[in-house]
Amino acid sequence: MSGPRRPTDPSGLERYYVLTGGRSGPGGSSSSLDVATLITSRAAAGPGMQHEHEEILRRCRDPLSVAELGAHLGLPFNILAVLLADLLDAGRVEARDPIPASGAGRGPDLALLEEVLSGLQRL
């Protein structure tokens, strides 16, 4: 017979605790991350890196949003934000805010839409 079995954590919370070293959220400048922030690798993975850090660096060779990255890795936003904060602090990734919509809340620029429509009608 084998020894006593340890109960498993079906929620994954124990795994997340280990991944983040017990931290619940990013601190400092990394706390401004949102789901639309684009992440790009600036360095290759190093020896002894955590698997999830290596995976982030590999997937972000081309810019990838935090939302897409979370979906690929199957990690909740707050856990991914902690991992990204580690990489940002080490200078291994770059975070770029999405380009804000001009005049947010006003809707699309009518002059631009009219030019597009005019161009399509000429086709």
Side-chain angles (χ1 to χ4, degrees), residues 1-72:
M1 299 211 73
S2 63
R5 292 184 57 193
R6 291 180 33 199
T8 58
D9 180 11
S11 67
L13 294 177
E14 183 179 300
R15 174 178 172 252
Y16 297 151
Y17 182 86
V18 171
L19 285 178
T20 63
R23 295 169 290 162
S24 61
S29 61
S30 303
S31 60
S32 65
L33 290 173
D34 71 8
V35 294
T37 301
L38 294 176
I39 306 295
T40 307
S41 299
R42 298 182 72 196
M49 285 187 83
Q50 193 172 330
H51 170 73
E52 287 75 14
H53 286 142
E54 290 177 354
E55 194 65 20
I56 290 169
L57 292 174
R58 186 182 69 75
R59 289 185 180 271
C60 292
R61 290 182 185 135
D62 293 321
L64 198 61
S65 74
V66 173
E68 292 172 301
L69 190 56
H72 287 300

Side-chain angles (χ1 to χ4, degrees), residues 108-123:
D109 181 15
L110 286 178
L112 176 62
L113 290 175
E114 288 173 355
E115 286 181 43
V116 170
L117 180 60
S118 175
L120 289 172
Q121 288 172 341
R122 285 189 299 243
L123 291 176

Side-chain angles (χ1 to χ4, degrees), residues 76-97:
F77 174 78
N78 61 329
I79 303 301
L80 182 57
V82 171
L83 298 175
L84 289 172
D86 294 342
L87 293 171
L88 283 164
D89 291 343
R92 293 189 171 272
V93 296
E94 176 183 350
R96 288 185 275 153
D97 291 329

